[in-house]
């Protein structure tokens, strides 16, 4: 590990040191993408007294030149996107129809009970102002540059003077948390194109990395509101489920109550994008791939974010660069910050520690980074401060990726799969069979329960899901894979599967067949106002499981 310490303290003797990583030569995808989802900072579990936890440099620009920057647009006025004469919900991309009637404006996160209310909202001041703000943000992105690689202490004025050679600079926004990157906004797109056409940029002896600013999805978040929903306690869960007319409806509703919200999914996607941007600077060609409960189709609120940092493309790129005659100048591997580290020859624990160092020093908002090389599957643990998400990064876990794809296939194969899995999980937790408080322990975890349900559905007569043997037969040549001795051959496309001939409802599957379903499953709550819902009582679950064993 002394080698990596020298790399991050500048003592590698090669002239290409990583002093600049601490002093600003660190990547990032732009100001705080994880906060663009409208999330509000979560309570800080980290003792680090960070005076400014927000990774977004904010809208306050550094004046670029002495020239008059022009009038600042009033956020309450329209800029080139006035309201439609007659807004049409059917054609407006910001509008979605709700399943039970009414509409929702995705841009403003506002619901309308009927069409007249929606039209009034679309013509209103708030919606027009946000449309204007979104248009302005997109215009800024199209004429902005993402710049990294400069020395610590470099000011916005210095960057503005340098990029002023390509056109008038409107503003420079510095990364105020780690001083690792800057956003340089030019007055027009032509100036941006001239800067990007320059083959190499340098400032004060440091080579600058210059690329277009990433275009991000514009998302509005009302102040004080974020993607984290209130905890769903047993009382609220029971109250919500009792609104359903029967057990099948309750099982379907349970999925919506426990799965990740769209805002939570957006935050996770933005975090993956952030990590990809950063790690690409250090490991060209690498891929940051989410796996596990966040993306396997059986997600739940608060689940960890599991990521695989696939370094195999980087190793291949390094090998091809070394073998190619005259390689080095301008190649992707040589252009990386850690170009002189041979990943193929470096022990896994040291690579893991290097990943932890990059996370700790170069990713805005990441806290509590800890490498665990002695775990059964070595990982780097982290916590993202603004979203409150905890996660793991592994560097050699291809089998987990295929497990995730297999679960995705099962979740998409039949609409009964997800309701049954979520119901069994909840029941097992209520019965004290699952839910280890510290992650490990004698109780079943969600992954084990999910596999049990899938096996049960594979062994129904007729089966709801195809067996593993049948999946292997259906796999095409491109789907055949063996990892660590395990045959992971199965179709990647759900369209390759044959429709199930099993006609049982989710409730009937749970009960072991129609004969195991009590008549109470069809009792609407309006005729039994005092009835308790089946998931929080023993009436249905206790009966059905005993009959279905």
């Amino acid at each position: 590990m002394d080698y990596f310490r020298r790399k991050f303290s500048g003592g590698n003797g090669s002239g290409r040191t990583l002093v600049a990583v601490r002093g600003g030569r660190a990547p990032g995808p732009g100001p705080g993408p994880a906060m663009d989802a409208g999330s509000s900072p979560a309570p800080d579990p980290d003792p680090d007294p960070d005076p400014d936890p927000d990774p977004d440099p904010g809208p306050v620009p550094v004046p670029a030149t002495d020239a008059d920057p022009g009038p600042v647009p009033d956020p309450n006025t329209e800029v080139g996107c006035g309201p439609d004469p007659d807004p049409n919900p059917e054609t407006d991309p910001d509008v979605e129809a709700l399943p039970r009637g009414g509409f929702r404006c995705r841009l403003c996160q506002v619901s309308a009970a009927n069409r007249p209310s929606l039209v009034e909202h679309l013509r209103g001041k708030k919606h027009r102002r946000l449309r204007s703000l979104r248009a302005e943000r997109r215009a800024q992105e199209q004429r902005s540059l993402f710049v990294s690689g400069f020395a610590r202490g470099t000011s916005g004025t210095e960057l503005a003077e340098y990029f002023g050679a390509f056109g008038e600079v409107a503003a420079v926004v510095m990364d105020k948390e780690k001083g690792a990157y800057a956003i340089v906004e030019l007055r027009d797109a032509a100036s941006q194109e001239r800067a990007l056409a320059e083959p190499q940029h340098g400032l004060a002896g440091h080579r600058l990395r210059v690329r277009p600013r990433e275009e991000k999805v514009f998302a509005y978040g009302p102040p004080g509101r974020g993607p984290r929903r209130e905890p769903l306690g047993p009382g609220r869960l029971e109250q919500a489920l009792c609104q359903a007319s029967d057990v099948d409806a309750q099982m379907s509703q349970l999925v919506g109550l426990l799965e990740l919200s769209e805002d939570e999914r957006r935050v996770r996607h933005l975090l993956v994008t952030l990590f990809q941007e950063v790690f690409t600077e250090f490991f060209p060609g690498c891929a940051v791939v989410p796996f596990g409960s966040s993306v396997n189709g059986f997600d739940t609120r608060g689940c960890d974010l599991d990521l695989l940092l696939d370094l195999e493309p980087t190793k291949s790129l390094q090998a091809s660069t070394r073998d190619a005659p005259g390689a080095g100048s301008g190649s992707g591997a040589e252009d990386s910050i850690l170009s002189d580290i041979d990943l193929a020859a470096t022990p896994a624990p040291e690579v893991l520690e290097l990943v932890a160092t990059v996370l700790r020093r170069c990713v805005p908002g990441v806290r509590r980074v800890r490498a665990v090389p002695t775990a059964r599957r070595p990982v780097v643990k982290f916590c993202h401060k603004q979203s409150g998400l905890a996660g793991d990064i592994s560097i050699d876990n291809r089998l987990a990726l295929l497990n995730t794809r297999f679960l995705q296939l099962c979740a998409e194969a039949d609409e009964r799969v997800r309701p049954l899995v979520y119901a069994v999980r909840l029941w097992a937790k209520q019965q004290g069979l699952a839910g280890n408080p510290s992650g490990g322990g004698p109780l079943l975890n969600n992954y084990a329960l999910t596999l049990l349900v899938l096996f049960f559905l594979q062994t129904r007569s007729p089966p709801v899901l195809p067996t593993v043997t049948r999946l292997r037969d259906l796999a095409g040549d491109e789907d055949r894979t063996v990892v660590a001795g395990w045959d992971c051959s199965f179709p990647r496309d759900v369209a390759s599967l044959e429709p199930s001939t099993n006609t049982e409802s989710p409730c009937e599957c749970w009960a072991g067949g129609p004969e195991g379903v009590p008549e109470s499953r069809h009792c609407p709550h309006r005729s039994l106002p005092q009835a308790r819902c089946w998931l929080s009582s023993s009436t249905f679950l206790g009966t059905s499981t005993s009959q279905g064993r």
Side-chain angles (χ1 to χ4, degrees):
M1 293 309 302
D2 290 339
Y3 175 74
F4 294 118
R5 293 191 184 97
R6 290 197 302 271
K7 290 292 292 183
F8 277 89
S9 62
N12 65 353
S14 66
R16 288 197 51 173
T17 70
L18 286 192
V19 175
V21 171
R22 294 189 302 173
R25 189 174 181 175
M35 300 306 294
D36 285 349
S39 62
S40 57
D44 182 11
D46 196 306
D48 180 14
D50 186 357
D52 189 358
D54 186 358
D56 192 326
V60 181
V62 176
T65 64
D66 294 333
D68 183 4
V72 178
D74 185 345
N76 294 320
T77 60
E78 287 295 300
V79 181
C81 59
D84 297 330
D86 184 16
N88 186 352
E90 283 74 21
T91 59
D92 193 323
D94 293 325
V95 174
E96 65 175 335
L98 300 177
R100 297 187 178 182
F103 302 90
R104 180 175 181 269
C105 175
R106 296 189 185 96
L107 177 62
C108 306
Q109 299 183 12
V110 170
S111 297
N114 49 49
R115 184 187 179 99
S117 299
L118 175 65
V119 172
E120 182 179 357
H121 165 73
L122 295 179
R123 290 174 172 171
K125 183 177 180 180
K126 174 182 178 180
H127 183 76
R128 292 161 46 209
R129 179 173 59 84
L130 287 178
R131 286 185 61 198
S132 172
L133 179 60
R134 179 175 60 185
E136 176 61 23
R137 290 277 180 87
R138 288 175 177 171
Q140 288 177 337
E141 290 172 350
Q142 292 169 1
R143 60 176 184 265
S144 296
L145 300 167
F146 175 80
V147 183
S148 63
F150 45 79
R152 174 180 287 275
T154 301
S155 67
T157 302
E158 291 176 281
L159 289 173
E161 290 176 355
Y162 174 80
F163 285 99
F166 304 97
E168 186 178 356
V169 177
V172 176
V173 181
M174 306 291 294
D175 166 28
K176 62 185 178 183
E177 181 175 335
K178 296 182 183 289
Y181 57 86
I183 300 296
V184 178
E185 180 188 344
L186 297 158
R187 286 292 182 191
D188 52 65
S191 300
Q192 183 211 41
E193 292 174 1
R194 284 193 292 270
L196 293 174
E198 186 72 16
Q200 186 169 329
H201 294 273
L203 180 63
H206 289 264
R207 182 176 178 181
L208 300 181
R209 301 173 184 277
V210 180
R211 59 173 178 263
R213 184 182 181 184
E214 178 191 358
E215 294 187 12
K216 297 187 288 292
V217 176
F218 179 84
Y220 166 71
R225 296 177 60 186
R228 303 185 69 184
R229 297 177 287 187
E230 296 180 12
L232 189 65
R236 288 185 59 213
L237 181 63
E238 179 176 338
Q239 182 180 12
L241 292 177
C242 281
Q243 305 302 314
S245 58
D246 57 31
V247 175
D248 287 331
Q250 286 181 340
M251 295 173 101
S252 297
Q253 188 174 8
L254 183 65
V255 176
L257 292 170
L258 298 182
E259 68 180 349
L260 294 171
S261 69
E262 288 304 315
D263 283 341
E264 289 169 316
R265 296 181 197 279
R266 186 186 304 118
V267 168
R268 289 164 189 260
H269 172 72
L270 291 170
L271 270 179
V272 173
T273 303
L274 171 65
F275 286 5
Q276 180 69 66
E277 288 277 344
V278 172
F279 281 115
T280 298
E281 291 285 342
F282 294 91
F283 309 109
C286 73
V288 178
V289 186
F291 67 91
S293 53
S294 288
V295 293
N296 64 14
F298 302 101
D299 47 272
T300 56
R301 299 183 185 187
C303 60
D304 288 352
L305 179 62
D306 298 313
L307 302 173
L308 170 69
L309 177 60
D310 186 1
L311 297 176
E312 293 305 316
T314 308
K315 295 177 184 178
S316 299
L317 184 61
Q318 288 183 337
S320 63
T321 301
R322 287 193 302 269
D323 297 340
S329 177
S331 66
E334 286 297 319
D335 193 42
S336 72
I337 297 176
L338 303 178
S339 58
D340 53 341
I341 295 179
D342 186 356
L343 294 176
T346 304
E350 296 187 5
V351 176
L352 207 67
E353 188 61 43
L354 179 59
V355 171
T357 303
V358 172
L359 271 180
R360 191 178 295 115
R361 297 190 178 185
C362 304
V363 182
V366 170
R367 297 288 186 271
R368 303 172 66 179
V369 178
R370 179 169 59 96
V372 189
T374 57
R376 182 175 63 87
R377 179 65 63 179
V379 296
V380 175
K381 293 185 172 294
F382 67 90
C383 178
H384 185 252
K385 192 172 185 178
Q386 282 69 33
S387 65
L389 275 175
D392 300 333
I393 295 181
S394 56
I395 58 175
D396 182 19
N397 205 359
R398 286 193 63 222
L399 193 59
L401 286 183
L402 292 169
N403 282 337
T404 297
R405 291 172 186 168
F406 173 75
L407 293 181
Q408 289 172 338
L409 181 74
C410 293
E412 297 170 1
D414 194 284
E415 62 183 6
R416 293 166 287 186
V417 175
R418 298 185 75 218
L420 279 165
V421 168
Y422 280 83
V424 168
R425 285 178 175 181
L426 179 61
W427 172 80
K429 186 174 182 180
Q430 290 180 340
Q431 300 301 316
L433 302 175
N436 297 294
S438 59
L443 302 181
L444 293 170
N445 58 29
N446 279 342
Y447 180 63
L449 288 168
T450 301
L451 294 183
L452 286 173
V453 174
L454 298 182
F455 177 75
F456 170 75
L457 295 176
Q458 288 173 327
T459 55
R460 297 298 295 153
S461 182
V464 176
L465 292 174
T467 63
V468 173
T469 302
R470 181 58 183 156
L471 288 173
R472 187 183 300 118
D473 294 339
L474 293 173
D477 294 339
E478 69 281 0
D479 299 325
R480 302 198 176 277
T481 308
V482 176
V483 177
W486 294 94
D487 189 346
C488 302
S489 302
F490 58 88
R492 302 301 189 262
D493 186 358
V494 70
S496 304
L497 304 184
E498 304 148 339
S500 172
T501 58
N502 186 305
T503 59
E504 294 173 335
S505 69
C507 178
E508 290 169 345
C509 287
W510 180 291
E515 67 281 356
V517 179
E519 294 184 5
S520 60
R521 76 164 272 225
H522 296 295
C523 293
H525 69 277
R526 61 178 180 274
S527 61
L528 293 174
Q530 303 302 319
R532 296 172 61 83
C533 63
W534 64 273
L535 279 174
S536 47
S537 68
S538 60
T539 54
F540 176 70
L541 285 180
T543 303
S544 64
T545 49
S546 62
Q547 293 179 353
R549 282 197 181 105

